[in-house]
Structure formats: structure tokens, C-alpha cells
């Protein structure tokens, strides 16, 4: 890749359980220049969290080089900014070595930040943040989420009502700038993007997707999700850590806290994963740059990639 050329990458995104890992590996293997994959799943970056994150096994990888798996401990900070600081040099290096770079995962914010550049937020106002935290503790995150929805329905649609941190940050940005966060993000210039990207999103019938989610949730429990959660606790990781509140782990913690039976925990896991997939779809459908294909349509994906690269 010439030194002055903006590096290219191919995004394989989509809701959980649509087969992103499988398609990404198939496409990477099909490239004459060989492909390498950068993980864009916000949970697969954590060590010791394998079953509950559906982290690809050596068999799943089939010899394809994967980056940004197991890069931090569960009690270490990780966010979109850190992801970009690690991923962008990898994109450049993969291109310089003549390989094809694939970014595979379902964390839309990470992908958006890498492709479009980090959104420049106003500095944190500790006084405002503390007031919003106190208000959240007093009235609950659901009511703050409803306030955000009235102000900025687009941003609210991408944030779960229980996600206190992101709700507070979105409101904080609005109060500091008197602008909706969604509008600020849209103003970012395409010409200043750090990479060129072909963005592919996997499309699947909703009923089929939900059935796959239900089956995979059951498979995770059978594969040792409960035992994995217990190992993390035994290592001293607090149940209040951000990744321990992730889908799967929080459901096993519910069971371990005697708040429900294991069967109920599984039902909650399946329900919440379906809801998460719905939010992911909302996020990706809001971006007109995505090309939607079926997970098993390898030929269409290859044609799109060949046109993009060559």
C-alpha cells in the first residue's frame, strides 16, 4: 500500500448469532493476498471470558490471523477510544504487508469510531455528571432514558434504558453543547475519515435469527457459561465490573445470587439477547452505507469486496 493511500478495510457486521465469524473467516481464506481479522466485539477483548462472548476457537479461526482478542483483563478499562488506538495501527500494518483487512463484530460504536474517526466530545463536567448520577440513582435510569428519548430519539434508540453510563454521557453532551449528540455525530466529515471501508451487514429472517439466539444461549450454558462465571468470581473479579454485567454473565450471577433458577436464567438470557439483537439491527439500519447480504451468500460478498479493492 502506498504511504499516502488511505488504508482499506472490509467490515463484516450484524446482530449477534448471524454468523459473522464464519463468514469473516471464509472471506479471509478466499483472498489471494490472504486476509486478517480485527475483532470488533466489545466483550471478546477480555481474557477469561470465552464461552459467554462466543469467542472464536482455534478451530473457528482455521488458521486466519485474528487481532484484538484477549487484550485486557475484565477489571481493565476498554472503550471505543482504546479500541481505535489499537485497531487503526493494525489496519495500516495489515495493508502495508499486502494483506486484506477484515473488521468483524457486532459492536456498532467501535466500527463507527474506527471508520469515521472518533467523535470529539466536550470535556467532562464533573459537577454536571455528578448531578446526573445522583438524579439517576434517585429516579432510575429508565426515566433518564425517556428524557433522552424526548431530546434525541435517534441516540436513545441506540442505548439500552439500563445503560446508565451512556445515558448520562449523552445528556451531558446535550446540556454542554445545546446540540443533540446524533446531530453532532452526523456533522463529521467523510473526507477526514482515517480509512476507506466497505461495510457489509448480515441480513437474516427475524424468526430464524431468534431461533439461532435461543439455541446458542442454550449451547453456552451447556458449554460451561455458569462455570466460567464462577471462575471469574473465584479470581476476585467483582460482579459490578462492566463486563460482568454483560449478557450471559449477569444472568449467571442472577442464578448464583439465588434470584432465579438456572432455567429462568436461561430464559432471561435468551430474551435479553433477542432484545440486544434488535438494538443492533436498529443501529446498523440507521447507517445507509451498509450493504446487506445473507450470511451464506459468499459469492455476493466476494464480488462486493473485489469491486471495492480492485
Amino acid at each position: 500500500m502506498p504511504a499516502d493511500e488511505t488504508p482499506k478495510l472490509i467490515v463484516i457486521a450484524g446482530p449477534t448469532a448471524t454468523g459473522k465469524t464464519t463468514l469473516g473467516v471464509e472471506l479471509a481464506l478466499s483472498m489471494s493476498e490472504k486476509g486478517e481479522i480485527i475483532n470488533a466485539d466489545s466483550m471478546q477483548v477480555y481474557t477469561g471470558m470465552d464461552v459467554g462472548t462466543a469467542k472464536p476457537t482455534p478451530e473457528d479461526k482455521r488458521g486466519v490471523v485474528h487481532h484484538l482478542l484477549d487484550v485486557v483483563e475484565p477489571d481493565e478499562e476498554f472503550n471505543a477510544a482504546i479500541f481505535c488506538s489499537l485497531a487503526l495501527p493494525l489496519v495500516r500494518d495489515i495493508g502495508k504487508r499486502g494483506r486484506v483487512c477484515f473488521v468483524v463484530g457486532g459492536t456498532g460504536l467501535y466500527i463507527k469510531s474506527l471508520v469515521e474517526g472518533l467523535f470529539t466530545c466536550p470535556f467532562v463536567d464533573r459537577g454536571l455528571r455528578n448531578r446526573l448520577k445522583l438524579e439517576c440513582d434517585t429516579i432510575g435510569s429508565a426515566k433518564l432514558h425517556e428524557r433522552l428519548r424526548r431530546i434525541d430519539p435517534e441516540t436513545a434508540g441506540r442505548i439500552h434504558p439500563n445503560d446508565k453510563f451512556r445515558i448520562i454521557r449523552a445528556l451531558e453532551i446535550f446540556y454542554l453543547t445545546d446540540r443533540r449528540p446524533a446531530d453532532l455525530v452526523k456533522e463529521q466529515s467523510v473526507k477526514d475519515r482515517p480509512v476507506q471501508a466497505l461495510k457489509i451487514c448480515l441480513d437474516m429472517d427475524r424468526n430464524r435469527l431468534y431461533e439461532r439466539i435461543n439455541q446458542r444461549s442454550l449451547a453456552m450454558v451447556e458449554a460451561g457459561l455458569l462455570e466460567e462465571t464462577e471462575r471469574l468470581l473465584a479470581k476476585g473479579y467483582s460482579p459490578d465490573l462492566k463486563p460482568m454485567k454483560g449478557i450471559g454473565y449477569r444472568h449467571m450471577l442472577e442464578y448464583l445470587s439465588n434470584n432465579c433458577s438456572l432455567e429462568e436464567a436461561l430464559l432471561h438470557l435468551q430474551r435479553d439477547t433477542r432484545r440486544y439483537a434488535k438494538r443492533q439491527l436498529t443501529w446498523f439500519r440507521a447507517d445507509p452505507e451498509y450493504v446487506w447480504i445473507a450470511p451464506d451468500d459468499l459469492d455476493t460478498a466476494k464480488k462486493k469486496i473485489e469491486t471495492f479493492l480492485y
Side-chain angles (χ1 to χ4, degrees):
M1 183 184 70
D4 60 347
E5 184 177 328
T6 304
K8 291 184 176 182
L9 60 85
I10 296 99
V11 172
I12 306 296
T16 187
T18 47
K20 298 182 293 295
T21 296
T22 299
L23 181 62
V25 168
E26 288 283 354
L27 290 170
L29 289 171
S30 73
M31 296 291 106
S32 58
E33 300 88 346
K34 294 187 179 180
E36 298 186 17
I37 291 175
I38 296 176
N39 163 55
D41 182 294
S42 63
M43 289 293 290
Q44 292 182 358
V45 300
Y46 295 108
T47 60
M49 307 185 88
D50 303 331
V51 177
T53 65
K55 193 176 296 177
T57 65
E59 292 76 19
D60 295 330
K61 295 176 185 176
R62 296 173 59 188
V64 174
V65 176
H66 282 62
H67 303 273
L68 299 190
L69 296 171
D70 299 315
V71 293
V72 290
E73 298 294 330
D75 58 354
E76 293 182 283
E77 175 70 15
F78 202 87
N79 53 39
I82 296 172
F83 170 77
C84 289
S85 72
L86 298 174
L88 190 54
L90 287 170
V91 174
R92 292 168 176 158
D93 179 63
I94 291 169
K96 287 178 181 177
R97 290 188 283 107
R99 304 292 182 92
V100 179
C101 179
F102 291 86
V103 175
V104 180
T107 304
L109 178 62
Y110 283 17
I111 296 168
K112 185 179 182 69
S113 299
L114 176 61
V115 172
E116 300 182 10
L118 284 170
F119 168 51
T120 304
C121 296
F123 290 111
V124 173
D125 182 317
R126 292 295 176 187
L128 174 59
R129 176 165 294 183
N130 288 337
R131 289 194 297 274
L132 287 170
K133 283 183 177 179
L134 179 60
E135 187 174 8
C136 186
D137 291 339
T138 303
I139 67 174
S141 62
K143 290 189 176 180
L144 277 191
H145 186 269
E146 176 59 24
R147 182 188 305 171
L148 177 62
R149 189 192 62 78
R150 292 195 298 269
I151 294 170
D152 186 348
E154 185 173 341
T155 298
R158 295 172 175 172
I159 301 176
H160 191 275
N162 293 337
D163 193 340
K164 297 179 181 180
F165 178 83
R166 292 179 64 201
I167 294 170
I168 289 172
R169 185 55 176 152
L171 287 171
E172 185 180 337
I173 291 170
F174 174 74
Y175 291 137
L176 289 173
T177 65
D178 200 28
R179 301 284 307 283
R180 299 191 309 171
D183 293 336
L184 293 173
V185 169
K186 290 175 183 177
E187 289 179 0
Q188 293 187 139
S189 175
V190 173
K191 68 180 181 181
D192 295 328
R193 291 185 177 185
V195 299
Q196 301 177 63
L198 168 64
K199 296 157 75 174
I200 294 172
C201 195
L202 302 190
D203 195 12
M204 181 179 288
D205 173 75
R206 185 71 62 92
N207 291 332
R208 182 185 170 205
L209 173 60
Y210 285 177
E211 180 58 30
R212 284 172 62 94
I213 286 171
N214 291 342
Q215 292 176 355
R216 191 168 80 164
S217 298
L218 175 60
M220 284 180 174
V221 174
E222 293 177 341
L225 176 57
L226 176 60
E227 292 77 9
E228 182 170 84
T229 305
E230 290 176 320
R231 285 195 297 271
L232 291 164
L233 293 172
K235 289 181 179 180
Y237 293 119
S238 168
D240 294 325
L241 290 173
K242 178 181 173 184
M244 293 293 281
K245 293 182 178 180
I247 290 177
Y249 298 100
R250 71 170 182 262
H251 299 92
M252 295 302 100
L253 289 170
E254 286 180 5
Y255 166 70
L256 291 171
S257 300
N258 296 317
N259 291 328
C260 64
S261 67
L262 188 57
E263 292 77 12
E264 289 171 328
L266 172 60
L267 290 174
H268 297 165
L269 167 57
Q270 293 169 328
R271 176 200 64 197
D272 291 345
T273 307
R274 294 192 300 268
R275 290 175 177 175
Y276 175 57
K278 187 176 180 180
R279 294 195 301 275
Q280 287 177 298
L281 281 167
T282 298
W283 175 285
F284 293 125
R285 283 176 176 157
D287 186 340
E289 295 179 7
Y290 274 103
V291 176
W292 293 76
I293 68 167
D296 57 355
D297 194 353
L298 186 65
D299 289 341
T300 296
K302 288 172 66 175
K303 289 175 183 177
K304 297 287 185 183
I305 290 169
E306 288 170 2
T307 301
F308 171 70
L309 291 178
Y310 311 116

